[in-house]
Amino acid sequence: MGDDDQQHGGYQIDLGNLTAFDPHHQFSSVPDSREDLVKECIAHGTKLIQAVADALFNLPSTEDASGPIVSLPPPSTKLPREKPLPKPKPPTKWEVFAKKKGIQNRKKDKLVYDEQTSSWKRRHGYDRVNDDNDIPIIEAKMTDEPGVDPFAKRRSEKKQRVDKQEKNCLHNLKEASKVGALPSHVQLAATALPITGTQAAPRKVSKDELQNVAGMAATSTASGGKFDKKLAGEKPPKHDKKYRKFLPVVEGSGMGSLEKQQSDKILNKLMSKNSHEIFNVGKAVDMYNAKSDKKRRNQQGKSSSTSSKLKVKNSPYKNKPTKKSSTKGKSK
Amino acid sequence: MRRSCVAPPIDYIMLRIKTPKSLRANRELEKRAPKLVENGKKTLILHGTKTSNVLNDVLTEIYHLKKDNSVKYSRRNDNIRPFESGGETSLEFYSLKTDCSLFVFGSHSKKRPDNLVIGRTYDHHIYDLVGVENFKSMKSCSYDKKIAPLIGSKPFFAFIGEGFENVEELKHLKEVLLDLFRGQVVSSLNLAGLDRVYVCTAVSSNKVLFTHCALRLKKSGTTVPRVELVEVGPSMDFVVRRHRLPDESLKKEAMKIAPELIRKKEKNVSKDAIEGKIGKIYVPDQQVGNASLPFTPKGVKRVRREAKAKGEDNKQWEKKQKQHDDVSA
């Protein structure tokens, strides 16, 4: 422990930085040519460096293969840090408990002797000691209830333990982040914001929903969204702005009577509302029977393992008969 | 702890623990975290809208001097103006991304030709700046290739001139140059690996001559070798233009040393040239009367007899009678 900053012939020497500073030198006359100036500077610099080297080589050194090694004192010129000082992290829940109880941390071995196989097995990982999944038989105790599956119970207990551990982990991280001492590789990110009032966490909104909402917002302007500029990627509005559909005055050929279709549609709607015979019992019974026959056939087919090519394929394009009310000719 | 998982919805704020998905990324983050004893500072070298030939050479030279701990950007950056309040955001962003706390920014304009701005950052925000004009620079002189200094060797520094103490700007420049070129702070040094020297001379109140020399250690009679400097590498003249000192509160925070690192002075120990190391021990006065003995003294028998014979009312020498309480059956 000596002075790091020594005065050697008027120079200030900082050994930690290998620096020598001559504060008393004055250039009485600046030499004209740059080369002379440089030479003078170098000559003077040599003197300073010699002083530093004197101090440096006089330090106690240890011999090494590559050369003498000297332990430098810490630098005396203070320079600013580049990052703020790290804050000490608060003790975790377990650490507080362990300190209170006086529990010491014991180092565990990687290999553990397994009594069953009388061999050394690893503690964690593949083919480990006391693996929960390897237990073939669990003996029943007097306290066991008859209907409870002990294996499932063990699994659920383990899951509970894991969840509790994660909750504690998160709590510790939150405590650390409150102080500002979060470990450098961890970031806590909020995935959703809370809703005050209801206790349900809001679910994530899907793309279609967002598009719908955007469309609704657009049409809720004073001019009905007619003059809004559409951004790239925005779908055109679903509703065609026209809410009333008028039939053409003169019907073109080859379209089928539109007016007849329109009035038919309205009539059917009215009739089906007020008709009592909405359910065609016969047709329903036939459909049910056909369905159950098909099912029976499928099951037999599976057990006799016919090739799939011979099976009747369910074509998705064929229209299947659905339970609709047939109003052909039925009227009350 | 699972790497990134959704916390169970016990809290109403759903928090997700984000950790890097690979161990390598984890290690990189650890390297960049704030520490008690910091890593060496890295330098970012870049230039602005226009550069001159001289400036280009200077920037490449500085990059070569600090090859192992600096990053050089080759594109021009139009929106960086270090001395203006809004023009620093880009610099701070680059400093954050490359983890560099020193930067050298070169620019050339009619008003300020061959301008170099050397700056430092604290917590990736601008700490202080020094703007210098690179008056003249000469790259390489002819020298013997064998004595060329290796990359990464710890340099010697020589500061000459009273200007470095008296003039505010030169004092600042001295500190910044020291920070820029000193390399990593080491506690043990191999004396065979010393081979470079930076000589800075304050020629006038605003002009500084900066030279980089190689070091040769020659045999001398004593254990200390004779030092010889050979000019190698860039030599520049700096004319200090403008500078910005750090904010007082920021400076205070940046200069803070961790309380664990302050060496505590050993109390009651002193070193003497004649006697060697002397320590002082302070012994408090002994209280003989109040010393606790292993047994409780009841009184010596003879003293008790005499007291009884005298018939004094000494309650302490009387035997205390047992009090028989009424014991209920």
Side-chain angles (χ1 to χ4, degrees):
Chain A
M1 260 208 302
D3 262 329
D4 303 331
D5 207 7
Q6 292 159 21
Q7 302 275 350
H8 275 260
Y11 307 148
Q12 285 174 10
I13 294 182
D14 176 2
L15 264 185
N17 278 329
L18 301 177
T19 309
F21 174 39
D22 180 9
H24 305 301
H25 185 88
Q26 280 166 357
F27 272 101
S28 45
S29 65
V30 180
D32 286 330
S33 83
R34 195 173 177 276
E35 281 177 14
D36 286 343
L37 180 64
V38 168
K39 273 198 200 129
E40 200 182 314
C41 292
I42 291 184
H44 204 72
T46 319
K47 275 188 256 173
L48 286 170
I49 301 297
Q50 189 67 56
V52 182
D54 283 342
L56 193 63
F57 280 82
N58 284 331
L59 287 172
S61 71
T62 53
E63 273 298 319
D64 194 38
S66 46
I69 293 188
V70 141
S71 80
L72 282 178
S76 63
T77 34
K78 283 198 216 127
L79 291 167
R81 288 176 62 96
E82 59 170 345
K83 287 180 187 137
L85 280 169
K87 295 197 186 67
K89 55 176 216 175
T92 60
K93 264 172 126 179
W94 167 252
E95 279 173 1
V96 167
F97 179 75
K99 193 165 178 194
K100 195 174 79 172
K101 290 275 183 171
I103 301 173
Q104 297 289 339
N105 195 16
R106 298 228 177 97
K107 197 98 172 137
K108 299 185 182 68
D109 294 325
K110 272 196 200 164
L111 290 176
V112 184
Y113 189 69
D114 188 16
E115 296 296 334
Q116 273 186 346
T117 54
S118 55
S119 67
W120 288 92
K121 282 196 176 173
R122 60 192 73 143
R123 190 185 287 270
H124 309 286
Y126 175 73
D127 191 28
R128 56 178 174 267
V129 162
N130 297 337
D131 196 351
D132 221 21
N133 310 337
D134 282 350
I135 304 175
I137 301 171
I138 301 178
E139 291 185 23
K141 290 193 282 212
M142 297 299 285
T143 50
D144 269 350
E145 288 169 24
V148 168
D149 176 12
F151 297 101
K153 190 159 155 237
R154 284 177 83 100
R155 254 181 276 135
S156 70
E157 273 175 8
K158 177 164 176 138
K159 191 166 182 303
Q160 275 179 3
R161 270 181 277 138
V162 169
D163 284 339
K164 179 177 178 286
Q165 182 53 35
E166 289 208 2
K167 182 170 88 98
N168 285 346
C169 220
L170 189 66
H171 177 266
N172 288 333
L173 284 176
K174 275 202 274 176
E175 288 295 304
S177 75
K178 263 193 232 171
V179 178
L182 207 56
S184 57
H185 54 275
V186 175
Q187 273 178 293
L188 284 183
T191 52
L193 295 167
I195 291 181
T196 54
T198 59
Q199 299 201 343
R203 51 180 180 70
K204 275 194 180 153
V205 198
S206 66
K207 190 171 157 184
D208 299 319
E209 277 184 35
L210 278 175
Q211 277 178 344
N212 281 344
V213 171
M216 275 197 268
T219 50
S220 55
T221 51
S223 49
K226 244 200 309 186
F227 304 111
D228 286 345
K229 236 189 251 179
K230 282 252 170 268
L231 295 167
E234 244 188 291
K235 289 199 185 140
K238 263 197 212 160
H239 223 111
D240 202 24
K241 292 163 280 183
K242 288 197 176 157
Y243 285 86
R244 292 192 71 185
K245 191 172 159 196
F246 295 106
L247 294 172
V249 174
V250 176
E251 247 174 59
S253 58
M255 254 171 85
S257 166
L258 283 173
E259 203 177 336
K260 187 165 182 291
Q261 278 180 13
Q262 204 182 38
S263 33
D264 258 349
K265 200 161 100 176
I266 299 170
L267 201 64
N268 284 338
K269 272 199 191 148
L270 284 172
M271 288 304 165
S272 63
K273 250 192 206 168
N274 297 316
S275 135
H276 292 296
E277 301 185 30
I278 14 174
F279 194 55
N280 186 354
V281 185
K283 195 165 187 188
V285 169
D286 286 337
M287 278 175 68
Y288 179 77
N289 287 338
K291 219 179 185 181
S292 48
D293 283 340
K294 199 191 235 179
K295 218 189 213 176
R296 232 177 288 125
R297 242 181 287 131
N298 274 347
Q299 280 179 342
Q300 283 177 353
K302 269 186 199 152
S303 56
S304 64
S305 71
T306 49
S307 78
S308 60
K309 283 190 191 161
L310 298 175
K311 270 196 197 160
V312 174
K313 271 205 188 134
N314 287 338
S315 161
Y317 305 111
K318 265 195 189 163
N319 283 339
K320 292 221 181 96
T322 49
K323 269 193 197 174
K324 244 192 196 155
S325 63
S326 91
T327 50
K328 259 194 198 167
K330 295 264 177 195
S331 60
K332 228 278 159 117
Chain B
M1 182 174 80
R2 256 187 271 162
R3 289 241 188 99
S4 66
C5 52
V6 179
I10 295 171
D11 287 317
Y12 302 135
I13 301 175
M14 305 262 279
L15 285 177
R16 196 175 79 230
I17 302 169
K18 256 171 71 174
T19 46
K21 291 206 177 113
S22 63
L23 279 174
R24 185 156 165 266
N26 211 334
R27 270 178 267 140
E28 286 296 314
L29 276 179
E30 291 278 310
K31 274 189 211 166
R32 295 188 179 195
K35 298 181 190 134
L36 269 184
V37 178
E38 292 185 319
N39 311 334
K41 291 189 183 180
K42 287 206 278 195
T43 312
L44 179 64
I45 301 173
L46 39 81
H47 61 267
T49 317
K50 211 159 62 141
T51 51
S52 57
N53 272 333
V54 171
L55 207 56
N56 277 336
D57 290 337
V58 167
L59 289 175
T60 42
E61 286 290 314
I62 295 179
Y63 177 61
H64 286 309
L65 279 177
K66 298 184 50 112
K67 197 71 176 287
D68 58 342
N69 58 355
S70 69
V71 176
K72 184 169 190 292
Y73 280 174
S74 50
R75 281 173 152 231
R76 62 176 204 184
N77 305 287
D78 295 340
N79 53 349
I80 296 184
R81 283 169 225 284
F83 279 97
E84 277 169 49
S85 60
E88 312 167 326
T89 45
S90 224
L91 268 176
E92 290 177 0
F93 177 72
Y94 291 148
S95 148
L96 182 68
K97 284 293 165 181
T98 56
D99 193 35
C100 292
S101 57
L102 285 161
F103 65 86
V104 177
F105 176 75
S107 68
H108 177 82
S109 66
K110 203 163 170 191
K111 188 176 176 191
R112 279 180 251 273
D114 297 338
N115 193 32
L116 263 181
V117 179
I118 311 174
R120 296 185 282 191
T121 60
Y122 174 73
D123 197 18
H124 304 295
H125 295 298
I126 302 277
Y127 180 71
D128 62 358
L129 305 159
V130 181
V132 283
E133 177 190 346
N134 197 287
F135 191 62
K136 191 182 273 188
S137 122
M138 277 196 301
K139 293 166 282 178
S140 37
C141 332
S142 56
Y143 54 89
D144 197 4
K145 288 290 176 185
K146 280 185 243 168
I147 54 168
L150 297 168
I151 293 172
S153 54
K154 191 138 173 82
F156 277 97
F157 276 94
F159 290 101
I160 309 168
E162 56 175 10
F164 280 127
E165 190 141 313
N166 303 336
V167 183
E168 182 75 40
E169 294 151 327
L170 291 187
K171 220 166 44 169
H172 194 197
L173 182 65
K174 169 170 173 267
E175 202 184 307
V176 172
L177 282 175
L178 189 63
D179 215 352
L180 187 63
F181 288 111
R182 77 167 164 167
Q184 220 170 4
V185 179
V186 285
S187 57
S188 59
L189 184 67
N190 188 348
L191 294 177
L194 295 166
D195 48 5
R196 58 169 89 213
V197 182
Y198 291 107
V199 182
C200 309
T201 323
V203 175
S204 68
S205 67
N206 65 343
K207 195 164 161 199
V208 171
L209 203 105
F210 177 83
T211 332
H212 172 243
C213 306
L215 191 67
R216 284 169 86 183
L217 300 165
K218 291 248 171 94
K219 265 205 185 118
S220 81
T222 58
T223 46
V224 183
R226 195 161 56 86
V227 159
E228 198 183 291
L229 265 65
V230 179
E231 196 182 343
V232 151
S235 103
M236 317 171 209
D237 294 3
F238 290 143
V239 176
V240 180
R241 277 191 182 129
R242 42 184 185 166
H243 74 135
R244 199 210 289 181
L245 286 168
D247 216 11
E248 269 310 311
S249 58
L250 199 61
K251 184 169 182 184
K252 213 171 159 190
E253 206 194 314
M255 295 292 226
K256 257 197 236 177
I257 309 175
E260 293 99 32
L261 293 176
I262 298 173
R263 269 209 291 201
K264 294 197 179 80
K265 190 173 183 286
E266 244 188 308
K267 281 175 130 183
N268 298 324
V269 172
S270 64
K271 247 185 174 168
D272 208 0
I274 304 166
E275 294 172 21
K277 204 169 176 184
I278 314 171
K280 272 189 189 166
I281 306 173
Y282 290 97
V283 181
D285 284 337
Q286 241 186 338
Q287 304 276 353
V288 186
N290 296 347
S292 56
L293 295 168
F295 51 87
T296 48
K298 283 193 203 153
V300 186
K301 274 188 178 165
R302 176 153 66 98
V303 177
R304 264 202 248 156
R305 246 186 291 136
E306 282 175 357
K308 240 185 188 170
K310 277 186 191 167
E312 280 168 16
D313 194 0
N314 282 340
K315 274 197 184 148
Q316 47 183 221
W317 304 127
E318 279 179 18
K319 246 190 176 176
K320 196 177 174 187
Q321 293 298 327
K322 251 194 203 174
Q323 282 172 324
H324 293 283
D325 294 321
D326 278 35
V327 180
S328 50

